[in-house]
Amino acid sequence: MGETEYTPPSPDDDSVRLDHAFHALLEGATAPRPPSPPDCPFCELPQDRYPTGYAGHWVLLEPRVRVPAHTVPPRRRWIITPDGVATNLWDAEPLPGTVCRIPHRAVCPRLLPEDHWPWMTALRDHNDLRTRRLFDLPDEGLPDAG
């Protein structure tokens, strides 16, 4: 009867910003913003950082790891669009042949494990060894350089 014209909320609207912040947090898009280095704040390993569709939110993705999307648990599948934006597939079933990236948070050795598939646990263990090699230097047994 009395049709009203719908005006979508402005991206500057506080409710839209809050919605974007909530979804970014839910999806793990909590990377440090540029110009900060794209290092994990928990394990300090360098990662690949991508902007997300949520204004001002970035995600850290595991470097050099591109896997068939059907082998990754739902909500951990990130696709890089042609314009360089990371998009989470959430629960959508990937098309055959789709390759995705995984968020570093899912395999960070310093965070409590989530519900992983076996290969993600193996990657977490590999990252744990990498951080030990980089940051856990022995206190004793180093040659005297003086």
Side-chain angles (χ1 to χ4, degrees), residues 44-118:
E44 300 179 4
L45 288 173
Q47 302 300 312
D48 290 343
R49 175 178 48 209
Y50 287 91
T52 66
Y54 306 118
H57 294 275
W58 299 72
V59 65
L60 293 177
L61 301 178
E62 198 62 22
R64 299 175 303 280
V65 177
R66 290 167 179 78
V67 294
H70 70 277
T71 65
V72 178
R75 302 181 184 185
R76 302 295 179 267
R77 304 169 178 142
W78 287 84
I79 304 297
I80 308 303
T81 63
D83 60 349
V85 174
T87 303
N88 188 336
L89 292 180
W90 203 243
D91 288 330
E93 190 61 34
L95 295 173
T98 301
V99 176
C100 72
R101 305 283 303 270
I102 59 170
H104 175 70
R105 291 180 66 91
V107 294
C108 179
R110 300 295 184 250
L111 294 176
L112 291 174
E114 297 174 1
D115 182 22
H116 295 298
W117 289 7

